[in-house]
Amino acid sequence: MNRKIFLKTAAAGLGGAFLSAYLPGSLKAATRRLNIPLGFQSWVIKEALANDFSGTLKSMAAQGFRMVEMCSPKGYKNMGFGPLASMKGSDMRNIITDAGLTCPSCHYTFTELSAENLDDRIEFAKKLGVRHMICSHPGLSKTATLDEYLVRADDLNQAGEKIKKAGLQLGYHNHSTEFAVLEGRLIYDALLERLDPALVKMQFQTEVINLGYKAADYFNRHPGRFFSAHLSDWTADKKEMPVGKGIIDWKEFFAAAKKAGVETFFVEMTPGTFKESVRYIRSR
C-alpha cells in the first residue's frame, strides 16, 4: 500500500477549520503523559497545507501537535505540493516555527538524493532546519529484482555518507513494497542487511501489519536501527481504524520503540481517525 489519500473536503478550502473538527484539544496532555514526541506527516493533509500553509500548521499546533514531517515540495511538486515548491527552505522553517512547531525530518524522492541533486537537497534541508533526510521510496518498478534493490541500498549508503558529513542523518521509509519476497528473501530484511547502520537509519510504517509484520518485532531484533515511526492502525480485514481499535498491540509497540531508541512518531492516517487515536493514547 502507498500513502492514504487525504479527504477531498480539506482541499475545498476548509483547511484549519476542517482539521479542528477532528483533533482533540487535549492532545498535548496525552502525549506528555507518555512522553511521546508526537507529530504528523504532511502527506495526509497536503491539500490543506497547499491551500493555506501557515493557517493549517497553526491549527495543528493549536491541537497539541509538536512536530510536522514535511515532504520535499520540489520532489513532490506533482503529488500535491506544487503550490509550495517555490518556497525557500528558510521561509518554510520560519512559517513552521511561527506556528509553534518543529520539523525534525523531511521526505525526499530517491531522485532528489542522487549525486547530481544531493548538494541542493542538503542545502534545502539545512535551511529547513531538519535533522533527518528520509528516502521515501527506492524509485523502482514493481518488476525490480533483488539486485536492483541492493544497488539502491549501495547508492543510499553513498548519499548517507555525504549527508552525515554535512551534519545530518539519512533515513529510509518503508511501504508494503519492501515486504515482498524476491529470490527467497524478504526485500526489507535484505535492505536492512545491506544498508550501513551508521549511515542510513530506518523509519518504520506500521501499516505493514496488514501483511503480518509487526514494528515491535523489528524494533526488538534491531535496536538502534530505527529512529522514527509512522502510526496507523488496522483491522484484520485491512480497514484503517483509530489507534487502539485495530489489531496492533500498542503497549508492545511503544515499549519496544522506547527500548530500540525510536525518537519521533508521526501520525499518518485520515484526519477522521485522529480524535479516537489520541483518546486511546491518553488512556495508556
Side-chain angles (χ1 to χ4, degrees):
M1 288 190 181
N2 292 323
R3 300 175 184 277
K4 282 66 66 184
I5 299 176
F6 180 65
L7 301 178
K8 294 300 181 182
T9 47
L14 295 176
F18 174 81
L19 295 169
S20 295
Y22 287 103
L23 294 172
S26 56
L27 176 57
K28 185 177 293 185
T31 56
R32 187 166 55 233
R33 179 172 179 174
L34 283 177
N35 194 30
I36 295 172
L38 188 64
F40 63 93
Q41 223 297 331
S42 57
W43 179 269
V44 296
I45 57 169
K46 58 182 179 178
E47 288 89 354
L49 289 169
N51 183 62
D52 181 4
F53 189 62
S54 176
T56 301
L57 290 174
K58 288 179 180 178
S59 177
M60 298 296 278
Q63 303 306 321
F65 279 105
R66 293 155 55 185
M67 304 178 300
V68 55
E69 181 177 66
M70 286 300 302
C71 293
S72 166
K74 185 175 182 179
Y76 285 71
K77 183 177 181 179
N78 297 322
M79 292 180 277
F81 288 84
L84 304 177
S86 62
M87 188 181 296
K88 296 179 181 179
S90 55
D91 292 338
M92 184 169 287
R93 178 180 186 176
N94 289 337
I95 294 172
I96 291 172
T97 300
D98 183 63
L101 298 168
T102 62
C103 183
S105 56
C106 182
H107 277 206
Y108 296 84
T109 65
F110 181 84
T111 300
E112 289 184 279
L113 299 173
S114 61
E116 60 268 28
N117 297 317
L118 188 54
D119 286 339
D120 175 74
R121 297 293 78 200
I122 289 176
E123 181 181 2
F124 174 79
K126 287 188 171 183
K127 290 182 178 179
L128 182 57
V130 304
R131 303 191 309 273
H132 303 124
M133 298 176 65
I134 301 174
C135 177
S136 59
H137 194 277
L140 293 169
S141 70
K142 293 181 180 180
T143 59
T145 65
L146 184 60
D147 280 344
E148 287 178 294
Y149 275 97
L150 296 180
V151 169
R152 283 289 197 261
D154 292 339
D155 292 338
L156 288 175
N157 283 334
Q158 292 183 24
E161 186 173 9
K162 190 167 189 177
I163 288 170
K164 187 173 184 178
K165 288 179 180 178
L168 304 172
Q169 175 69 58
L170 179 61
Y172 185 88
H173 174 81
N174 69 275
H175 292 89
S176 59
T177 307
E178 294 88 343
F179 286 82
V181 175
L182 283 179
E183 302 171 32
R185 298 191 67 189
L186 192 71
I187 297 171
Y188 194 71
D189 289 349
L191 289 173
L192 271 173
E193 183 178 309
R194 192 67 162 247
L195 291 169
D196 188 327
L199 300 177
V200 186
K201 298 293 185 181
M202 310 299 283
Q203 181 182 71
F204 201 93
Q205 180 164 267
T206 63
E207 184 180 343
V208 294
I209 191 68
N210 289 325
L211 299 175
Y213 297 96
K214 297 197 303 181
D217 290 342
Y218 276 91
F219 294 163
N220 287 327
R221 288 201 296 265
H222 303 281
R225 294 295 301 272
F226 296 87
F227 70 96
S228 184
H230 279 197
L231 309 186
S232 61
D233 207 352
W234 303 82
T235 63
D237 58 354
K238 303 179 182 180
K239 179 182 177 182
E240 187 183 64
M241 297 292 288
V243 171
K245 297 289 186 178
I247 60 176
I248 294 178
D249 184 336
W250 290 100
K251 182 178 180 180
E252 177 188 47
F253 170 87
F254 283 116
K258 183 177 181 180
K259 181 179 179 181
V262 179
E263 302 171 3
T264 54
F265 302 87
F266 297 98
V267 173
E268 191 184 22
M269 299 185 289
T270 52
T273 64
F274 287 178
K275 186 174 183 178
E276 286 190 70
S277 296
V278 176
R279 183 182 297 122
Y280 175 81
I281 294 173
R282 185 172 66 247
S283 71
R284 295 302 87 200

